[in-house]
């Protein structure tokens, strides 16, 4: 990259000094041709749609729908999914434009580097590391629980004194790590098979569950608000930020519960942003990436609303209260034990693909950061298979340790706040790039700019506002740690800082 100021070198040069130095879109695209850090372009729009459905359908349907209905929203959980889908849809439009304009690995990190500058890119990259690592580990533990169900109730856990080791979650991460290291196209084929299995199971849930549907179970659709008795007398850190500011108290159900539920089930929709991380590995990304992002989101929204309506119509939401309720619980109440077993198998297939695609997203964000020098450059080496094997191994080991030994509890909300923060920046970035680089070719354009991006920011900020104060505090601490790492390592080793964009990665 040139060290000339933007006014001398034109808008393509970007800002080259200071914390807000930008990496131009042209430079980001040129970096994809680096032979030492080159990803193979194997994916089609179909592959991306499969990845999107693979990661989005799974966690929400098999682990969140029943618990959220029973503990937070009642039958209105279907409305919570609609609220979350609207926010995701607005953000998806912005992602589609960015991914078609900057078809480079890294998703929101790469987009932020081109618009806001290096310090913001680092913040969002650090944020995505948390999002994908926790997401991979949390869902792997959910997969392990279903494995225990399939094994007749024998949970895949070893006890070493007071220490519990979840070998089922570790085994899954190890197998998927090998698949991802072998190639993205192979991973897509495995995902396609697993997606077919879980879609068949979801169709079974809707068809069989509809035979037990009673409209009376949907009343009241929004249950009356009740105090939450499980948080130590209403500790303020367990309230949502919205409840704390408005004085809504620490309650479940009612409209406060519904809004909080929308922020929680949002976890079910994360995934289309992972599709954007695969833009660099896609054939004709200007056309195929927007199709993959928007197509997968449309499919899964219909599935979520259908399943949540059938589930809450089968049984009273009160029968789904507690931390152990799942889709299978509703069928067990009606004595349909064979359906319970099939759902467990479908959940295994579904959650397998969720872990795989979140794992993929984690490696691609780290790959992009390493290629820019913000992480050790040698990690970006791809080798003959065109995959970042070194990063895949490192991420696999870290996620395996987390999934094997850590009991996450409310930490899963950290995934939501990290994702929403990324969505806000991407939405703002679309408006900025339209103004600063109107000359760039865009394979997809967000309609009604800046109205749609502004709505996206408001919707995502609203969902963040309805996450717990405890989650916000943890997020601030994680970001503070990230700033220490940036100033201790990333800022000094950044290629933009060195003016050495052609520096070799090496083997």
């Amino acid at each position: 990259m040139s060290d000339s100021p933007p006014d001398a070198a034109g808008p393509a040069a970007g800002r080259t000094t200071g914390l807000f130095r930008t990496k131009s879109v042209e430079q980001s695209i040129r970096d994809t041709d680096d032979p030492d850090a080159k990803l193979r372009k194997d994916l089609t729009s179909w592959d991306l749609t499969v990845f999107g459905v693979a990661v989005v359908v799974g966690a929400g349907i098999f682990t969140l729908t029943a618990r959220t209905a029973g503990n937070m929203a009642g039958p209105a959980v279907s409305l919570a999914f609609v609220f979350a889908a609207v926010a995701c849809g607005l953000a998806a439009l912005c992602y589609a434009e960015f991914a078609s304009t900057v078809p480079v690995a890294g998703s929101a990190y790469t987009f932020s580097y081109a618009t806001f500058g290096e310090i913001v890119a680092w913040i969002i990259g650090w944020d995505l590391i948390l999002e994908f690592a926790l997401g991979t580990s949390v869902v792997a533990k959910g997969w392990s629980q279903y494995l225990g169900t399939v094994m007749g109730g024998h949970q895949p856990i070893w006890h070493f004194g007071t220490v519990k080791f979840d070998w089922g979650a570790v085994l899954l991460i190890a197998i998927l790590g090998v698949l991802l290291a072998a190639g993205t196209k192979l991973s897509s084929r495995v995902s396609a098979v697993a997606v077919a299995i879980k879609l068949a199971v979801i169709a079974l849930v809707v068809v069989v569950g509809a035979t037990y549907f009673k409209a009376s179970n949907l009343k009241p659709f929004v249950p009356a608000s009740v105090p939450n008795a499980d948080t130590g007398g209403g500790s303020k850190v367990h309230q949502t930020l919205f409840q704390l500011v408005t004085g809504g108290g620490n309650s479940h159900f009612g409209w406060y519960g519904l809004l909080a539920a929308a922020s929680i089930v949002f976890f079910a929709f994360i995934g289309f942003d992972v599709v954007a991380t695969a833009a660099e590995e896609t054939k004709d990304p200007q056309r195929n990436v927007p199709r993959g992002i928007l197509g997968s989101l449309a499919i899964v929204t219909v599935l979520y609303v259908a399943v949540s309506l059938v589930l809450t119509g089968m049984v009273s939401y009160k029968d789904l209260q507690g931390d152990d309720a799942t889709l299978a619980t509703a069928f067990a109440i009606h004595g349909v034990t064979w359906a319970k077993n099939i759902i467990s198998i479908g959940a295994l297939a579904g959650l397998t693909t969720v872990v795989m695609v979140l794992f993929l997203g984690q490696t691609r964000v780290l790959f992009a950061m390493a290629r820019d020098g913000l992480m050790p450059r040698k990690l970006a080496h791809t080798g003959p298979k065109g995959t970042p094997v070194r990063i895949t191994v490192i991420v696999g080991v870290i996620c395996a340790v987390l999934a094997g030994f850590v009991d996450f509890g409310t930490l899963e909300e950290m995934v939501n706040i990290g994702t929403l923060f990324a969505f806000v920046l991407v939405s703002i970035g679309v408006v900025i790039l339209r103004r600063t680089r109107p000359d760039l070719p865009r394979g997809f354009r967000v309609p009604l700019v800046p109205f749609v991006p502004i709505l996206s920011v408001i919707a995502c900020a609203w969902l963040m506002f309805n996450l717990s104060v405890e989650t916000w505090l943890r997020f601030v601490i994680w970001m503070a740690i990230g700033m220490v790492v940036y100033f201790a390592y990333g800022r000094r080793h950044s290629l933009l800082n060195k003016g050495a964009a052609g520096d070799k990665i090496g083997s």
Side-chain angles (χ1 to χ4, degrees):
M1 162 146 332
S2 169
D3 287 324
S4 302
D7 56 352
R15 295 187 301 272
T16 57
T17 59
L19 294 178
F20 294 94
R21 52 193 173 223
T22 57
K23 182 179 181 182
S24 72
V25 173
E26 288 80 2
Q27 182 61 55
S28 293
I29 294 174
R30 282 196 299 271
D31 284 351
T32 65
D33 292 325
D34 184 340
D36 291 318
K38 188 177 180 65
L39 299 172
R40 293 181 57 177
K41 295 183 179 293
D42 289 332
L43 304 178
T44 64
S45 61
W46 170 252
D47 293 319
L48 295 180
T49 302
V50 167
F51 273 144
V53 175
V55 68
V56 180
V57 176
I61 283 185
F62 296 119
T63 65
L64 281 180
T65 308
R67 290 204 307 266
T68 306
N71 300 326
M72 300 190 75
V77 66
S78 57
L79 189 56
F81 274 113
V82 172
F83 288 167
V86 169
C88 284
L90 293 170
L93 293 171
C94 299
Y95 264 87
E97 174 166 328
F98 249 128
S100 69
T101 309
V102 194
V104 178
S107 186
Y109 158 77
T110 301
F111 307 156
S112 297
Y113 216 156
T115 51
F116 298 102
E118 184 173 282
I119 184 66
V120 178
W122 168 268
I123 290 171
I124 204 64
W126 186 252
D127 167 52
L128 291 174
I129 289 173
L130 175 71
E131 172 195 336
F132 292 138
L134 279 183
T136 300
S137 305
V138 167
V139 180
K141 291 185 79 71
W143 182 92
S144 184
Q145 291 175 354
Y146 272 102
L147 179 63
T149 301
V150 172
M151 296 192 307
H154 301 288
Q155 291 298 317
I157 295 176
W158 290 334
H159 294 267
F160 301 97
T162 59
V163 177
K164 294 191 296 184
F165 176 67
D166 192 334
W167 63 263
V170 172
L171 177 64
L172 175 65
I173 290 173
I175 293 173
L176 296 181
V178 172
L179 279 174
L180 289 172
T184 310
K185 188 66 175 180
L186 175 61
S187 304
S188 175
R189 289 169 180 166
V190 173
S191 291
V193 174
V195 166
I197 294 172
K198 67 180 174 183
L199 290 183
V201 170
I202 291 169
L204 176 71
V205 167
V206 173
V207 172
V208 176
T211 63
Y212 297 96
F213 186 92
K214 292 183 179 179
S216 58
N217 286 328
L218 299 180
K219 299 178 181 179
F221 190 68
V222 181
S225 176
V226 296
N228 178 18
D230 299 325
T231 56
S235 173
K236 291 185 177 181
V237 299
H238 295 288
Q239 298 180 31
T240 69
L241 189 59
F242 181 63
Q243 289 173 329
L244 180 66
V245 172
T246 61
N250 194 15
S251 59
H252 283 176
F253 304 109
W255 285 101
Y256 282 112
L258 173 58
L259 294 173
S263 296
I264 297 301
V265 301
F266 177 82
F267 178 80
F269 284 95
I270 65 170
F272 71 81
D273 56 328
V274 183
V275 173
T277 69
E280 190 174 327
E281 297 161 88
T282 304
K283 302 172 183 177
D284 192 4
Q286 286 76 13
R287 183 193 68 173
N288 290 332
V289 174
R291 288 183 179 182
I293 291 174
L294 300 175
S296 58
L297 186 62
I299 292 170
V300 301
T301 299
V302 172
L303 293 176
Y304 279 142
V305 172
V307 170
S308 58
L309 282 173
V310 168
L311 172 68
T312 51
M314 287 178 65
V315 296
S316 168
Y317 72 91
K318 295 179 181 179
D319 294 327
L320 300 173
Q321 293 179 344
D323 294 331
D324 299 324
T326 67
L327 267 183
T329 303
F331 285 88
I333 289 174
H334 288 287
V336 190
T337 55
W338 60 267
K340 177 182 177 181
N341 294 332
I342 290 179
I343 288 173
S344 296
I345 293 173
L348 279 177
L351 295 178
T352 296
T353 59
V354 174
V355 176
M356 175 185 287
V357 183
L358 288 176
F359 194 161
L360 171 70
Q362 173 76 97
T363 61
R364 295 318 185 254
V365 170
L366 276 173
F367 168 79
M369 296 177 75
R371 189 164 59 186
D372 291 333
L374 297 178
M375 291 289 183
R377 283 270 284 166
K378 288 187 177 181
L379 295 180
H381 180 65
T382 52
K385 292 185 178 295
T387 57
V389 176
R390 293 172 181 174
I391 288 178
T392 302
V393 171
I394 292 172
V395 170
V397 170
I398 293 173
C399 290
V401 170
L402 290 173
F405 293 101
V406 177
D407 185 12
F408 288 95
T410 57
L411 277 179
E412 64 186 34
E413 288 190 23
M414 292 287 287
V415 181
N416 293 15
I417 195 169
T419 304
L420 286 164
F421 182 57
F423 287 3
V424 168
L425 286 184
V426 168
S427 300
I428 297 173
V430 165
V431 179
I432 292 176
L433 203 62
R434 283 281 189 99
R435 287 180 173 272
T436 59
R437 296 299 310 277
D439 56 304
L440 288 173
R442 290 166 168 83
F444 175 85
R445 299 178 68 89
V446 177
L448 302 176
V449 171
F451 180 69
V452 169
I454 290 173
L455 278 182
S456 175
V457 171
I458 293 172
C460 293
W462 173 255
L463 290 177
M464 292 177 73
F465 203 43
N466 281 281
L467 290 170
S468 69
V469 176
E470 182 180 30
T471 297
W472 275 92
L473 291 175
R474 288 170 174 165
F475 182 65
V476 170
I477 292 171
W478 175 254
M479 286 299 155
I481 295 172
M483 295 310 296
V484 172
V485 175
Y486 173 72
F487 284 104
Y489 181 88
R491 185 185 183 190
R492 291 186 295 111
H493 291 83
S494 162
L495 292 192
L496 285 188
N497 182 53
K498 292 180 176 182
D503 187 30
K504 289 294 182 182
I505 291 172
S507 58

